[in-house]
Structures are given as structure tokens and as C-alpha cells.
Amino acid sequence: AQTVTQSQPEMSVQEAETVTLSCTYDTSESDYYLFWYKQPPSRQMILVIRQEAYKQQNATENRFSVNFQKAAKSFSLKISDSQLGDAAMYFCAYRSRIQGAQKLVFGQGTRLTINP
Amino acid sequence: GAGVSQSPSNKVTEKGKDVELRCDPISGHTALYWYRQRLGQGLEFLIYFQGNSAPDKSGLPSDRFSAERTGESVSTLTIQRTQQEDSAVYLCASSLVLLTYGKVYEQYFGPGTRLTVT
């Protein structure tokens, strides 16, 4: 079974600075997807960014980018120019690419605080 | 268009009572998922429905938990004889699914139901 580990329960950063959230995972599969989700106090899960394992290029979405190290099974999220609205819980998630395996496997989450 | 909706938003129940949680997926989404999120934890998969296929119930923690979905519409998660360890936020998500190898669509989540068992 796949597992996802987020070793940083809490992180804080000054507004406008850059912060990196860590995620490692364990799988025997070679083809899969990885995601970062944001969960503000409203509880709504919001997809931030996704990475397909067969792609070597790191995904980027505006101020959000990932550092995907497949051999190390590491998938970190970098947030540049942090804004107050980025404060939330962030979850790393794994999804198999096997047909029918639709469920997401989540890490424990990292609470990100933005200091003004 | 409307997103995934869940009701009730909050539910407080006494230990031993049964509860029903409702999820209305996005119209046209054939896949529906239930997850559980305990306080301070990540989401745990409970069950997955896809069209008329048999649901994937591999995440249900005990036989006190069951879920139904009629066609591609509303789903109900039922917890019988609730226990204090059932206290959590129950999140529902829906997505499109294309039944070819590896095609994945984003899962859209509802706001969840916070269940408190006293």
C-alpha cells in the first residue's frame, strides 16, 4: 500500500518570503500522480498543483512550484512571494495511475502560517 | 455552476445513535468519493462510487459504516451505533472519469460535515 508522509506539522513564513513544504511517499508503482491540496478554515479542499510521475519537468502554477525527485520519492511544494491568503493546511496526496484506482492517499498535513 | 454540497454542515449526536450524511455531487460527475478527516489528521479514503459499477468499499472502517448512491446523483453515508471515535469531518468529492488507462480528472470537494459524537 502507498503511504504519504509530511514531516512538518507546522511552518511559518514572513509575508512576501518563500517557503518550502516537504512531502515523501512510498510506492512500488512506477507511474502515478502527486498533488498538493490547500485546506483553509472553511474546510474546502482546493487543488493547488499536480505532477505526473512520468514527466521529468517540475509542475508550476503561478507562485506555486514543486520539486519532484522520483528516485528519492520526494515531492516538495515551494510557495514564492507568500501572501496572507496562503495561510491554510496543506496536504500532499498520491494517486495511482492504475485504472480503477481512483482514491487519493493523503499525508498528515502541514499548517502554514503567514506572518505580516 | 454549483459545486459539491453536503448536509448537514454540523451534526451532534449521542453515542449509539445512527446518523446519515448527504452529498450532492456536481452534475455530470460520474465518480463520487467519501473521505474521513479526524482532528489534525489527513483525509482517509472510505468509499468510491463510479457509475453503475460495484463501489470500492475498501476504506470503510467497520460494518457500522455504509453508503449508497442512486445512479449518478446523491449519495448518503450512514453510520450506525455511532461511537466517539467516529467524531470527524466527513468530506465528499466528485469527479469526471474517463475509463481509459490512467486518465484522471480533478476531484472537487464539498465543505464537509463535522460529526461530533457525545
Side-chain angles (χ1 to χ4, degrees):
Chain A
Q2 296 82 24
T3 59
V4 177
T5 302
Q6 294 178 248
S7 59
Q8 305 155 315
E10 296 184 357
M11 291 283 285
S12 63
V13 64
Q14 291 295 124
E15 191 176 3
E17 297 293 307
T18 295
V19 63
T20 298
L21 308 183
S22 300
C23 172
T24 59
Y25 58 94
D26 188 29
T27 183
S28 59
E29 298 173 343
S30 60
D31 202 7
Y32 46 84
Y33 295 91
L34 295 164
F35 305 84
W36 278 98
Y37 279 86
K38 171 184 177 181
Q39 186 182 42
S42 67
R43 300 198 302 244
Q44 193 85 39
M45 296 288 284
I46 302 164
L47 179 63
V48 174
I49 198 166
R50 60 186 271 178
Q51 174 79 41
E52 292 156 283
Y54 68 87
K55 291 186 178 179
Q56 292 188 335
Q57 186 172 8
N58 289 322
T60 299
E61 288 287 342
N62 300 316
R63 297 182 296 106
F64 299 87
S65 62
V66 298
N67 183 3
F68 173 49
Q69 301 290 326
K70 191 173 184 180
K73 296 181 182 174
S74 170
F75 182 61
S76 61
L77 174 70
K78 185 171 81 171
I79 306 174
S80 303
D81 185 26
S82 299
Q83 300 176 0
L84 294 178
D86 295 333
M89 285 291 291
Y90 284 82
F91 293 95
C92 179
Y94 172 102
R95 182 196 174 278
S96 172
R97 205 166 183 229
I98 296 173
Q99 185 175 348
Q102 301 283 343
K103 70 179 182 183
L104 292 166
V105 178
F106 286 86
Q108 301 289 75
T110 296
R111 181 175 302 282
L112 178 63
T113 302
I114 311 295
N115 300 313
Chain B
V4 178
S5 61
Q6 293 186 245
S7 60
S9 178
N10 291 282
K11 175 72 176 178
V12 180
T13 190
E14 292 180 354
K15 179 182 173 181
K17 300 285 189 182
D18 298 352
V19 295
E20 281 191 355
L21 312 180
R22 177 187 170 105
C23 172
D24 283 88
I26 293 172
S27 177
H29 281 192
T30 57
L32 187 146
Y33 317 76
W34 284 97
Y35 294 88
R36 177 173 70 179
Q37 185 178 24
R38 288 182 161 138
L39 185 64
Q41 303 293 313
L43 281 69
E44 305 169 78
F45 167 77
L46 295 177
I47 189 169
Y48 159 61
F49 295 92
Q50 162 49 24
N52 294 319
S53 301
D56 176 359
K57 303 180 181 180
S58 60
L60 293 179
S62 77
D63 59 7
R64 296 187 296 105
F65 287 72
S66 63
E68 293 184 350
R69 186 184 188 196
T70 304
E72 296 179 358
S73 61
V74 171
S75 176
T76 302
L77 177 69
T78 301
I79 308 173
Q80 296 179 311
R81 304 181 303 280
T82 52
Q83 304 294 312
Q84 288 187 328
E85 67 257 28
D86 299 334
S87 295
V89 174
Y90 290 83
L91 289 148
C92 174
S94 71
S95 75
L96 295 169
V97 171
L98 184 62
L99 295 179
T100 57
Y101 175 71
K103 184 65 176 179
V104 65
Y105 292 94
E106 178 181 352
Q107 292 185 21
Y108 292 84
F109 285 82
T113 294
R114 181 180 298 281
L115 174 66
T116 303
V117 182
T118 60

